[in-house]
Amino acid sequence: MIGFLHPWALAGLAAAAVPVLLHLLARREPPTVVFPAVRYLITTTREHQRRLKLQHLLLLLFRTLLIIALVLAAAGPTLPRSGVAGHAPSALVLVVDNSPSSGAVVSGTARLAQLQAAARRVLARATPDDALWLVTADGLPRRGDRQTLLDQVGALSVSSRRLDLGAALGVAGEVLAAESRPGEIALLTDLQATAVSPADLRVPLVVGRPDEPPPANVGIGRLETGPQPWGADGGRLTVSLVGDSGGGTPVTARLGTRPARQALAHVGAAAVLGIPGVPTGWWNADAELDADELRIDDRRMGVVRVAPVARVDWDSASRYVAAACEVLEANRRIGRGREVTFGRVAAGSSIVQPPEDGAAIGALNRALAARGAAWHYGAPVLEPAMTDSGPLIGRVRVLRRYQLQPAESGRTGVLATAGGAPWLVRTGNIVLLGSRLDPAWTDLPVSAGFMPFMDALVNRLARGEVSLADGAPGDAVPLPDQVSEVRQGGRDWRVEGGGTFRPAEPGAYYLVAGEDTVGAITANIDPRESRLAPASDAQARRLWRGARLVPLADAGDATFSSAARGDLRGPLLWAALLLGLAEMALASLWRREPG
Amino acid sequence: MNRPVSSPARSRLDLLDPFEVSKLGGLEVVTEGVVEGFLSGLHRSPRRGFSVEFAEHRMYQPGDELRYVDWKILGRNDRLYVKQFEEETNLRAMVVCDASRSMAWSGDPETRLSKLAYAQRLIAALSLILLRQRDATGLITFDDDVRTILPPRARLSHWRQLLGTLSALEAGQGTAAEPALRRVVNQLRRRGLVVFVSDLLLDRDLALKALRFLRHRGHQVLVLHLMDPAEVALGGPAEARFEDPETRAAVILRPRDWAGAYRDTVRTVVHEWHLACRRHGIRYHRVTTDTPYGIVLREALAPSPRAA
């Protein structure tokens, strides 16, 4: 199938009609000249008429073909050909999978170095007429000439971001969709089974993957710090391993600068390490494994909030609230006191439920207004709705609720929503619930998430703290409304509350509101990166129809040849030259012989 | 040679360009073959003539009888002259002039005479030469029919009549040379000279047949083929419809493309005329209208090597 690099140039084929039009226009009645010796002219033309008619037609043909050849050459036609030494100008997206798994060392060489070498071989075959893009683990296509991309490939390092290969191929396909040149994707990857996903391919795909099997690997898949905050008597760190090794692996965990604790862990089983009490504050927690062939997943970060448990004054008339608080008290997650008042508006931190009696809502709103609350209760809503899933609360049914309305324009302090409307908000040190914590109002009190919700509500939300969030490097993590700054070690970023933050590297990032630390984000590599087992070629072909899988060493040769197309511009230009010469020869012959 | 031709509008045939006329001095019409006249003299005659009255001297020509040589002039100037007598003329010449529409054409009317105007001047000059050497000269003009017939006379005053006829000559429509040429026979009872002035854009076979007939009757025949330079070298606009003024036949072509082939055709036509005339003992001269007619007459009337 003939393709064209610049199909818009084919519009110039209309110019092929010019010689024909000129030929037709030239047939107009010319001016009459009186000439007595017309008989000589008739004699002259009679002898040459047939030859001249043929020459006329040949000239017309040559000129038309000349224009067609030039226009086609300008359109850059290409023809599929196998085994061609060069290739037609192509558009190539080179995807280099420098995700964390590419940091694995195989036979003394980092996998990434193998990928880089293969990428250089691919780029070495590129010509200045090719359009080139490079996609790495950040998923962004970068366009550049060969040298620019070679420099970028040379500067690649192991990224802490996971690369979904199907998504990367989708990005590459979108890039090529806008390109008129024949497109091709070269994917250089360790072909982790956990990274492959389906992709709708419309262009040829060459997958360069290593021949040798990956090393056995064990990484820390999860580091759980348990319910927050920790009390003065310490807490527990739970470490989960992922990977291919079935043997026991020593795990070291520490909290801040405290002495490390060790345990023997196995893949698929969690190791729990008790941590003794530490002073109140925010603590970095980390767990580490002994070094193996993939270092990047051998350490995982966490954040622990250590604070005294909340002293809560709860309303025993609210049956489910009272029951939950008693359980929390029994488990020493709360104590009795007046630090947090649950059920009504009090002088300190208050958690407010709407009253059972609708007539009391006015008095409640007046009390809120007296405390300077920016939110108040509005009209009752009897239509059932679902809470919108979030870090604080999952999806539970809400049967009855009151509208929560901000006193001023805008809405800040929304902690959870139901049916898209605010359902749990904080204003100052007052937390407002849209529904009573009663099964007649919501299913939450009878759901499994009720106790963690109550724990977070009284220990963190009522104190103005937000939940701890986890994310992978590069992921957008939503920020609470009041956060104005994000800090990590000596670095800090000014942020806008309610927006998102993308941690670039693994680590603990603290969320600051004013002078107070109100939460933290822990960024760790995706645990799927620890599973180095590659997908089979059959699996890859099933997911990526038409993909050509080759060893990394052969990726350079395979890349352009899989979509190699003979460039027809050269032959067309030669044809145009020959046609031009033939036209000139014929025209001069005509003038020399008959005229 | 490069002297510009007088404007056709201002020229009168009896006021020939003095420059051109001066070139006619010393020109003589000498027939190659035998012509019949009343007197012996310039032209070889089958009969003996006799002198009556001295008229003038002329250059000695080989074949002249020595008894007419003027020995006194020979003694004074060392040149051979023979005495001519008033009734020595023994040549009767008929000029047949083509006055068809094609003859009225000029490729460049601003600077060049039409073929007919050129023919008028050429015939005037030729007749002047003939009459000055006492040869009787007549004129027939024709287009698609015979228009005028002026019988041959030898008196110099006859030239005025000739000029009058030529001046009144206007181009007709077609070309029918054969009747005109055949009418010559009526005017030249004895063998004489026939000068046929035409652009030869006519029925070649018929014309040649008539010319051969004249030769058969013993006349010397001279064909002056007039051509405008624009008929020799094709020119004109980039593309044009060329139309014959007589037949209205037309052809559309690009002159630039056809110039060479046309030149070859003209060359062939002239060559064929030349061959056909030579085959039958007819003298043929192609004349372009940008050539001074003095030169034309000098070349056309010069004795051929065979005659010399």
Side-chain angles (χ1 to χ4, degrees):
Chain A
M1 186 71 178
I2 291 181
F4 293 95
L5 300 177
H6 312 293
W8 51 266
L10 292 175
L13 281 176
V18 170
V20 179
L21 288 175
L22 287 176
H23 179 75
L24 293 175
L25 288 174
R27 295 167 70 103
R28 291 178 309 174
E29 189 68 19
T32 297
V33 173
V34 174
F35 190 70
V38 162
R39 65 179 64 197
Y40 299 161
L41 288 176
I42 292 173
T43 303
T44 304
T45 55
R46 189 188 302 129
E47 294 172 7
H48 300 283
Q49 202 63 41
R50 286 185 61 189
R51 186 160 59 87
L52 272 177
K53 194 172 283 186
L54 180 64
Q55 281 177 327
H56 262 298
L57 289 174
L58 280 176
L59 278 176
L60 181 66
L61 184 68
F62 286 169
R63 288 164 184 168
T64 305
L65 289 176
L66 176 64
I67 291 173
I68 289 173
L70 289 175
V71 169
L72 287 178
T78 58
L79 196 66
R81 286 171 65 192
S82 59
V84 291
H87 62 272
S90 306
L92 174 74
V93 179
L94 176 61
V95 182
V96 179
D97 177 10
N98 64 330
S99 60
S101 62
S102 68
V105 176
V106 184
S107 305
T109 305
R111 184 73 85 196
L112 178 61
Q114 296 175 342
L115 299 178
Q116 286 173 308
R120 289 191 191 96
R121 283 193 290 273
V122 169
L123 291 173
R125 296 198 64 214
T127 67
D129 291 333
D130 294 326
L132 303 172
W133 286 267
L134 176 65
V135 176
T136 57
D138 59 12
L140 300 175
R142 295 177 178 83
R143 183 165 183 172
D145 58 20
R146 183 171 64 176
Q147 190 54 50
T148 303
L149 296 194
L150 279 171
D151 294 342
Q152 291 180 4
V153 166
L156 277 181
S157 58
V158 176
S159 172
S160 53
R161 301 180 62 169
R162 176 176 180 266
L163 179 64
D164 183 289
L165 297 180
L169 294 177
V171 169
E174 288 176 13
V175 167
L176 295 175
E179 186 60 38
S180 59
R181 280 170 273 207
E184 187 176 7
I185 301 172
L187 170 63
L188 307 176
T189 177
D190 55 8
L191 204 61
Q192 262 188 298
T194 57
V196 297
S197 60
D200 182 18
L201 292 174
R202 299 178 188 277
V203 293
L205 168 66
V206 172
V207 180
R209 44 97 177 96
D211 273 339
E212 63 273 30
N217 178 59
V218 174
I220 301 176
R222 193 172 181 85
L223 173 60
E224 295 175 86
T225 55
Q228 302 291 313
W230 283 8
D233 51 352
R236 290 181 299 184
L237 295 175
T238 304
V239 180
S240 303
L241 302 187
V242 291
D244 318 305
S245 174
T249 305
V251 177
T252 303
R254 66 173 62 84
L255 191 69
T257 56
R258 296 286 162 159
R261 307 297 293 262
Q262 285 195 323
L264 194 64
H266 293 82
V267 172
V272 179
L273 295 92
I275 304 295
V278 292
T280 300
W282 295 87
W283 294 85
N284 281 348
D286 70 272
E288 196 167 3
L289 302 177
D290 288 344
D292 60 8
E293 304 301 325
L294 180 61
R295 290 291 295 132
I296 197 168
D297 64 346
D298 292 341
R299 187 168 184 256
R300 200 164 186 88
M301 299 290 294
V303 170
V304 171
R305 170 66 168 143
V306 179
V309 294
R311 302 293 170 181
V312 184
D313 176 18
W314 64 86
D315 180 7
S316 51
S318 180
R319 189 156 60 101
Y320 288 90
V321 170
C325 287
E326 286 168 3
V327 170
L328 290 173
E329 183 187 23
N331 284 280
R332 293 189 293 177
R333 291 298 303 162
I334 61 172
R336 286 194 176 265
R338 294 188 177 279
E339 183 189 359
V340 176
T341 303
F342 204 121
R344 58 189 170 82
V345 180
S349 296
S350 303
I351 299 170
V352 180
Q353 297 184 96
E356 188 77 48
D357 182 4
I361 204 76
L364 179 57
N365 280 337
R366 284 193 293 278
L368 289 171
R371 281 288 308 273
W375 290 82
H376 64 270
Y377 286 98
V381 179
L382 298 179
E383 293 175 5
M386 298 294 287
T387 57
D388 299 304
S389 180
L392 189 64
I393 187 171
R395 288 179 64 78
V396 295
R397 190 170 58 152
V398 175
L399 302 171
R400 294 173 60 189
R401 61 189 162 100
Y402 276 91
Q403 288 180 341
L404 291 173
Q405 295 176 333
E408 299 169 357
S409 61
R411 58 178 215 185
T412 58
V414 177
L415 300 172
T417 57
W423 185 75
L424 178 66
V425 301
R426 181 176 55 231
T427 168
N429 56 356
I430 301 175
V431 176
L432 275 65
L433 281 158
S435 305
R436 291 184 64 76
L437 296 178
D438 187 287
W441 290 66
T442 172
D443 292 344
L444 182 59
V446 293
S447 70
F450 185 55
M451 289 310 298
F453 172 75
M454 287 295 289
D455 190 349
L457 189 61
V458 295
N459 279 311
R460 298 211 307 271
L461 302 184
R463 288 170 161 180
E465 295 175 3
V466 296
S467 61
L468 301 176
D470 285 326
D475 287 353
V477 179
L479 294 173
D481 289 340
Q482 71 269 37
V483 174
S484 59
E485 195 174 331
V486 176
R487 290 177 184 162
Q488 186 207 27
R491 295 186 295 175
D492 56 72
W493 295 268
R494 303 295 299 178
V495 295
E496 188 176 345
T500 58
F501 179 75
R502 291 177 185 273
E505 300 295 333
Y509 297 81
Y510 290 96
L511 310 180
V512 178
E515 294 300 320
D516 299 328
T517 300
V518 296
I521 298 171
T522 53
N524 289 290
I525 67 161
D526 194 298
R528 290 174 287 185
E529 289 294 312
S530 297
R531 296 193 183 96
L532 299 181
S536 65
D537 287 1
Q539 183 183 0
R541 288 194 190 95
R542 193 164 53 248
L543 293 172
W544 307 325
R545 184 169 297 174
R548 184 177 173 203
L549 286 100
V550 298
L552 277 176
D554 299 336
D557 294 334
T559 297
F560 286 104
S561 62
S562 66
R565 299 177 73 86
D567 189 351
L568 295 181
R569 284 182 298 185
L572 278 171
L573 287 174
W574 274 109
L577 179 64
L578 292 175
L579 284 167
L581 290 173
E583 193 272 348
M584 285 171 59
L586 190 61
S588 64
L589 182 72
W590 178 16
R591 291 189 178 111
R592 190 166 55 248
E593 285 191 1
Chain B
M1 186 79 70
N2 295 323
R3 187 179 169 84
V5 177
S6 344
S7 168
R10 289 187 289 107
S11 301
R12 280 170 48 193
L13 292 179
D14 55 346
L15 295 178
L16 288 172
D17 188 339
F19 179 78
E20 297 293 343
V21 172
S22 69
K23 290 186 174 182
L24 304 179
L27 266 182
E28 293 169 340
V29 178
V30 181
T31 58
E32 291 173 10
V34 174
V35 293
E36 292 182 66
F38 292 108
L39 301 174
S40 64
L42 279 176
H43 316 289
R44 285 178 288 169
S45 171
R47 303 178 184 180
R48 290 294 173 186
F50 55 91
S51 63
V52 177
E53 186 179 345
F54 173 76
E56 61 181 357
H57 286 98
R58 69 165 177 78
M59 288 290 288
Y60 171 81
Q61 297 287 337
D64 285 343
E65 290 191 27
L66 289 177
R67 60 193 175 113
Y68 294 117
V69 173
D70 192 328
W71 300 109
K72 290 179 182 176
I73 291 176
L74 179 64
R76 281 202 301 270
N77 299 333
D78 200 19
R79 289 183 179 176
L80 276 173
Y81 276 88
V82 292
K83 288 182 280 189
Q84 281 193 302
F85 298 90
E86 191 68 40
E87 292 167 6
E88 189 181 27
T89 303
N90 58 356
L91 170 65
R92 296 172 70 84
M94 280 300 289
V95 180
V96 182
C97 179
D98 179 358
S100 63
R101 182 168 292 273
S102 65
M103 287 288 287
W105 187 80
S106 170
D108 185 2
E110 293 296 320
T111 60
R112 235 173 13 239
L113 294 171
S114 68
K115 289 182 280 186
L116 183 59
Y118 188 88
Q120 288 168 326
R121 283 152 181 75
L122 188 67
I123 293 168
L126 173 64
S127 59
L128 179 63
I129 295 169
L130 288 167
L131 290 170
R132 277 170 55 182
Q133 64 187 34
R134 301 297 184 265
D135 287 334
T137 306
L139 175 68
I140 294 177
T141 66
F142 68 94
D143 43 45
D144 45 8
D145 200 356
V146 176
R147 291 298 169 199
T148 54
I149 299 176
L150 204 60
R153 297 281 186 274
R155 289 190 298 275
L156 200 54
S157 59
H158 183 57
W159 192 59
R160 287 287 171 191
Q161 275 185 281
L162 277 167
L163 293 188
T165 304
L166 287 171
S167 297
L169 192 58
E170 287 184 356
Q173 182 55 44
T175 309
E178 191 204 6
L181 291 171
R182 290 194 181 276
R183 293 286 284 274
V184 169
V185 178
N186 298 335
Q187 301 301 322
L188 294 180
R189 299 284 181 191
R190 290 183 294 245
R191 285 176 282 183
L193 173 66
V194 179
V195 180
F196 181 45
V197 182
S198 170
D199 56 9
L200 298 184
L201 297 172
L202 37 70
D203 188 321
R204 181 166 163 268
D205 293 338
L206 284 178
L208 275 174
K209 187 177 175 184
L211 291 171
R212 280 202 310 271
F213 172 71
L214 291 174
R215 279 297 295 150
H216 180 71
R217 295 297 295 262
H219 299 297
Q220 296 298 308
V221 180
L222 171 62
V223 175
L224 295 179
H225 183 178
L226 296 191
M227 294 189 81
D228 190 280
E231 292 176 316
V232 179
L234 186 63
E239 187 176 44
R241 177 178 180 275
F242 291 90
E243 184 181 276
D244 189 327
E246 294 182 17
T247 63
R248 298 294 172 195
V251 61
I252 296 173
L253 49 76
R254 298 168 187 269
R256 194 181 66 163
D257 298 338
W258 290 94
Y262 176 81
R263 189 177 55 241
D264 294 342
T265 300
V266 169
R267 193 178 294 139
T268 303
V269 169
V270 169
H271 184 63
E272 286 173 355
W273 272 104
H274 187 77
L275 283 180
C277 289
R278 193 171 68 180
R279 191 177 306 126
H280 301 291
I282 300 168
R283 291 189 68 176
Y284 168 87
H285 285 276
R286 197 198 70 169
V287 179
T288 51
T289 56
D290 59 347
T291 309
Y293 30 84
I295 295 174
V296 171
L297 290 174
R298 190 176 297 279
E299 290 175 357
L301 301 179
S304 67
R306 187 162 55 95

